[in-house]
Amino acid sequence: MACNHEHCTGHHHTKDEIEEREEKEERKKEVILYVIAVVIFLVTFIPIIPEGVKIAFYVLTLVISGYELFLEGIKNIFHFKFEEDTLMTIAVIAACCLGDFREACLVVLLFSLGEFIEDLAVEKSNKHIETIVDMKTETANCYKGNEVVVVPVEELKVGDKILIKPGEMIPVDSKVLSGKSQLDTSRLTGESEPITVTEGQEILSGNSNLSGSLTAEVIKEYKDSTASQIIDLVYEATNNKGKTEKFITKFSRIYTPTVMILALAISLIPILLGLDAKTWITRALVFLVASCPCSIVISIPLAFFSCVGVLSKKGLLVKGTKHIEALAKAKTICFDKTGTITTGKMVIDEVSKNEDRKEFFSYLYSLEHLSNHPIATSIENEIQKQEWKKEELLQQVLQQEEIAGYGMKGIIQGKQVLFGNQKLLDRYHISYEDDLNKKGVYLAVDGKLYGYIVLKEEIRNKAENLKAGLEKIGIHKIVMLTGDSLEKAEEISQKIGGIEVYASLLPKEKLEKVEEFKEQDKVIFVGDGINDSPVLATADFSISMGEGTQIASNTADSILISNQIATLPNIIKTAKSSMKIIYFNMIFSLLTKLIVLILGIAGYAPIWLAVFADVGVTLITVLNSIRIYRK
Ligand code: ADP
Ligand code: MG
């Protein structure tokens, strides 16, 4: 039986809707209670009301708007937790003891207002993140014989045949067998324009099928599929946020007692010296309230997390908030060429004049058929174009080895066969003429040059202005580090505006270059291949291409799911402006606190002003953090 889409996903919708409705009800209740509390508080300002009634009204205001705060605060006091609830509760109790009820009410009302708006802001930020993570389908339509059965996505195996109807999400990474449709890829790439897919094309989980039914073959199980990996990454990023929070908890273990002791000192020493007790207790309370670090504790992780969220929307998945700073600070960026600046879809442009072209390709195909390198695909495509049978071409290869940065090596029918760049020829002492086509990839059989192919590559979509775009946002050194020949490297470099080129590099040499650049500036490295993974691990911030090899994605700090290097200037700009917001929040919070502290101890700031400053600063910084979503 086929899965009815409305039924499958409709269920989740109603569940979400119920939750949302409950949240709204809750919020409405909060607002009504708050308004009642404010009205009761305002009544106390009417002069003719007797003092006793006023006190009753104050208490009512405190209870209505502050009972949650007090519950939490009193609990915290017993647990020696230094949070804003604790401070506010101490401040309110102390103010009441001093007979300053109006002040106590103001503290509670201001504090609740701040909390309320903060909640709204944080919730809004979570909603943004949810839309990113919302790319999993629970079930898929799987063919069992001629029947279509609904199965959980986790049960799909490589090679299974699945049906994807219009309106459904692609459940796992797969390859279209039949059908034609448009896909909405915006969740992965941020690109709003739908793309058309047909037979033979790979489709990634997390994209939605818009127009036609597709039959496809599963090429990756759910846990290895794009959607699942993105979801894991987003959670990984959240866990890293957890680390910041842990730090803050540790920090407050020292901070709390220090502040408490200082506050005690500020009130007790003057009293022991015979000064006015009420004045100095009030000043100590101002000090206590003002030293609450909540604006920093709330707004900074929020800003980092918002930034990670926005970057995912733009196609870059960052594995944790701790990497953002390096991305923002980088002044040097290094690119790999093949598969990074170029699309990785190579086309054979020229083939050397060989006696037996079929035998030539038989060697190439046998060596490359297990490789993930773009060259391997170009050879398969050529074979398809020539309508040769792959089974006829495939020969047994012994001691096959892919030498990163050089090429392939193996033994076919007792002969040593090499296929790769000029460096590979040199390494195995294969002699060649001086007029060798420098742009080629060469085949040597039994120690002799046999033939070569020249590959045509294209730069990625809209990458023509990459250099200009990067320079505009303050990246002053833009470099290509490639294992390919200088001739090919220069050709591609010119197409993106002419950047610094280092060619014919081995993986080790790529690493040395990046280490050298790191001495000057923070360095971003963008790459895709096996030969890039040492560099990806070394750079200050590393980006692996979404289409890149698994090992590259595992090592890098981030994955450019969209593969659109043209968006990098915009992505770096987002990181930069997020860091600006974070620095502003820190400095602004600390400065205001300092001013209030000084005013408080000098006796110029009442408690409510300290609360106002605290709530106000928290609000401003939180809203400032949320602003990242608007950029
Ligand atoms: P980069 O991505 O750094 O530009 P590559 O990983 O493509 O460089 O490797 C550099 C060069 O080594 C290629 O241009 C090619 O000539 C050769 N090479 C690497 N891997 C292979 C392979 N599997 N088959 C043939 N040649 C290869
Ligand atoms: Mg590469």
Side-chain angles (χ1 to χ4, degrees):
M1 200 194 72
C3 166
N4 178 334
H5 172 69
E6 288 305 320
H7 175 77
C8 268
T9 52
H11 178 69
H12 290 279
H13 273 277
T14 45
K15 201 169 132 201
D16 286 351
E17 273 162 22
I18 291 171
E19 260 172 32
E20 207 160 281
R21 212 176 306 141
E22 275 172 4
E23 263 167 32
K24 267 195 189 139
E25 287 291 311
E26 184 75 12
R27 184 136 305 142
K28 218 159 134 192
K29 243 184 347 206
E30 274 174 33
V31 173
I32 292 172
L33 280 180
Y34 188 78
V35 171
I36 292 174
V38 170
V39 171
I40 295 175
F41 178 63
L42 289 179
V43 170
T44 64
F45 282 85
I46 302 171
I48 49 163
I49 290 181
E51 203 54 36
V53 178
K54 273 190 190 171
I55 290 181
F57 275 24
Y58 286 138
V59 173
L60 213 56
T61 308
L62 287 176
V63 171
I64 294 177
S65 62
Y67 70 95
E68 274 182 9
L69 163 70
F70 300 144
L71 285 183
E72 197 59 32
I74 288 167
K75 209 170 77 196
N76 283 345
I77 292 176
F78 285 112
H79 288 108
F80 294 107
K81 265 203 208 151
F82 182 71
E83 275 165 18
E84 48 180 2
D85 295 330
T86 331
L87 290 175
M88 295 300 158
T89 308
I90 295 176
V92 170
I93 293 174
C96 290
C97 292
L98 296 172
D100 215 338
F101 286 103
R102 187 167 280 174
E103 173 109 18
C105 286
L106 259 177
V107 168
V108 173
L109 287 176
L110 278 173
F111 179 74
S112 319
L113 181 66
E115 286 275 283
F116 182 72
I117 299 176
E118 251 168 63
D119 278 355
L120 279 186
V122 172
E123 192 179 305
K124 195 171 160 205
S125 138
N126 286 343
K127 281 253 158 61
H128 279 281
I129 306 283
E130 272 168 31
T131 58
I132 297 161
V133 183
D134 180 27
M135 49 170 67
K136 179 181 178 180
T137 40
E138 302 295 332
T139 57
N141 316 314
C142 183
Y143 282 97
K144 299 264 149 108
N146 281 333
E147 249 183 311
V148 176
V149 188
V150 180
V151 299
V153 288
E154 286 84 359
E155 284 178 14
L156 292 174
K157 296 263 174 311
V158 175
D160 279 355
K161 227 166 96 178
I162 54 172
L163 174 70
I164 307 146
K165 295 182 198 172
E168 289 181 356
M169 196 109 72
I170 315 291
V172 292
D173 296 356
S174 39
K175 191 170 185 172
V176 180
L177 295 174
S178 66
K180 184 174 175 179
S181 180
Q182 297 211 299
L183 295 190
D184 170 8
T185 62
S186 59
R187 249 190 236 90
L188 295 185
T189 61
E191 196 73 38
S192 53
E193 199 69 13
I195 60 159
T196 310
V197 291
T198 54
E199 218 179 293
Q201 265 172 300
E202 281 181 16
I203 49 181
L204 297 181
S205 51
N207 290 331
S208 315
N209 185 11
L210 292 177
S211 47
S213 275
L214 294 170
T215 306
E217 184 187 317
V218 175
I219 55 175
K220 274 185 190 157
E221 281 180 27
Y222 175 71
K223 65 172 179 18
D224 303 321
S225 284
T226 311
S228 143
Q229 299 209 317
I230 292 175
I231 293 169
D232 285 355
L233 278 179
V234 172
Y235 283 118
E236 207 176 309
T238 332
N239 281 341
N240 276 327
K241 180 190 154 209
K243 276 184 203 147
T244 331
E245 272 167 5
K246 258 186 221 143
F247 166 75
I248 286 162
T249 323
K250 256 192 207 157
F251 163 78
S252 69
R253 228 172 264 156
I254 305 162
Y255 189 72
T256 314
T258 316
V259 170
M260 294 280 189
I261 290 168
L262 278 178
L264 266 182
I266 293 172
S267 57
L268 285 183
I269 294 172
I271 293 174
L272 291 178
L273 292 176
L275 295 168
D276 181 42
K278 189 177 168 179
T279 312
W280 285 96
I281 291 176
T282 311
R283 289 180 189 185
L285 286 176
V286 173
F287 171 80
L288 209 53
V289 171
S291 55
C292 173
C294 47
S295 57
I296 294 179
V297 173
I298 295 172
S299 74
I300 304 238
L302 186 67
F304 274 120
F305 204 42
S306 308
C307 179
V308 169
V310 171
L311 293 183
S312 334
K313 283 240 133 172
K314 297 190 180 202
L316 184 77
L317 275 178
V318 183
K319 299 183 191 169
T321 49
K322 61 179 177 199
H323 301 299
I324 300 290
E325 197 172 350
L327 174 62
K329 281 193 175 157
K331 291 225 161 60
T332 300
I333 187 165
C334 304
F335 291 94
D336 164 57
K337 178 181 73 69
T338 323
T340 302
I341 296 179
T342 63
T343 58
K345 283 190 199 74
M346 298 174 149
V347 180
I348 296 183
D349 197 29
E350 190 188 324
V351 181
S352 57
K353 311 247 173 312
N354 304 305
E355 312 248 305
D356 190 345
R357 197 176 261 225
K358 200 165 168 185
E359 187 188 31
F360 178 55
F361 270 93
S362 167
Y363 282 128
L364 302 193
Y365 180 64
S366 305
L367 278 173
E368 295 281 354
H369 79 283
L370 291 176
S371 168
N372 278 328
H373 199 277
I375 292 181
T377 324
S378 74
I379 290 168
E380 268 190 48
N381 290 343
E382 181 69 18
I383 290 170
Q384 236 156 31
K385 214 170 90 190
Q386 301 285 347
E387 297 183 356
W388 288 325
K389 290 228 161 51
K390 282 187 194 167
E391 306 84 73
E392 284 173 22
L393 294 182
L394 191 59
Q395 306 183 55
Q396 196 190 20
V397 188
L398 298 174
Q399 297 172 29
Q400 184 170 24
E401 195 187 336
E402 177 154 4
I403 313 167
Y406 288 94
M408 298 295 275
K409 179 189 152 204
I411 294 179
I412 296 180
Q413 292 181 0
K415 294 179 211 156
Q416 187 200 49
V417 185
L418 303 163
F419 180 55
N421 51 16
Q422 207 172 348
K423 278 199 156 175
L424 184 73
L425 298 182
D426 294 339
R427 183 166 158 161
Y428 287 91
H429 312 293
I430 312 289
S431 55
Y432 46 82
E433 306 285 320
D434 286 341
D435 65 346
L436 184 80
N437 186 333
K438 291 274 191 280
K439 291 181 180 175
V441 188
Y442 316 95
L443 175 74
V445 181
D446 243 359
K448 277 202 246 357
L449 193 63
Y450 186 106
Y452 65 87
I453 57 174
V454 178
L455 295 152
K456 195 167 71 187
E457 296 173 278
E458 257 159 47
I459 59 166
R460 289 195 183 264
N461 207 2
K462 302 194 187 119
E464 303 83 16
N465 302 322
L466 188 59
K467 185 187 175 207
L470 287 168
E471 275 171 348
K472 213 166 134 195
I473 56 154
I475 306 264
H476 59 65
K477 192 172 173 76
I478 305 158
V479 184
M480 182 196 293
L481 301 177
T482 178
D484 208 348
S485 68
L486 185 63
E487 287 76 10
K488 295 226 65 166
E490 280 295 352
E491 190 184 313
I492 299 296
S493 156
Q494 285 317 313
K495 289 188 185 166
I496 57 168
I499 63 175
E500 230 176 293
V501 166
Y502 296 89
S504 296
L505 298 178
L506 294 176
K508 202 178 84 205
E509 294 167 330
K510 282 196 185 191
L511 188 66
E512 283 162 7
K513 274 283 160 223
V514 167
E515 273 168 353
E516 183 189 319
F517 297 150
K518 264 176 81 170
E519 279 165 24
Q520 309 296 322
D521 282 316
K522 287 230 181 297
V523 178
I524 301 175
F525 184 83
V526 198
D528 73 315
I530 304 172
N531 62 342
D532 297 322
S533 64
V535 206
L536 287 168
T538 307
D540 295 295
F541 185 86
S542 55
I543 304 176
S544 125
M545 303 302 282
E547 294 172 344
T549 53
Q550 193 70 40
I551 178 161
S553 317
N554 288 348
T555 339
D557 300 328
S558 69
I559 303 175
L560 189 63
I561 292 288
S562 66
N563 297 306
Q564 302 279 2
I565 50 169
T567 59
L568 284 177
N570 183 277
I571 280 171
I572 299 169
K573 205 168 135 200
T574 305
K576 277 184 192 290
S577 54
S578 300
M579 281 317 294
K580 258 189 211 146
I581 285 178
I582 287 164
Y583 291 138
F584 173 86
N585 283 353
M586 273 195 211
I587 292 168
F588 179 63
S589 302
L590 292 175
L591 269 185
T592 339
K593 300 241 161 240
L594 198 67
I595 292 170
V596 174
L597 278 180
I598 294 169
L599 287 179
I601 295 175
Y604 291 112
I607 305 176
W608 71 263
L609 187 65
V611 178
F612 187 72
D614 183 54
V615 171
V617 172
T618 307
L619 248 177
I620 291 170
T621 51
V622 163
L623 291 178
N624 200 20
S625 295
I626 297 276
R627 219 156 50 92
I628 294 172
Y629 284 111
R630 303 218 179 287
K631 300 214 166 209

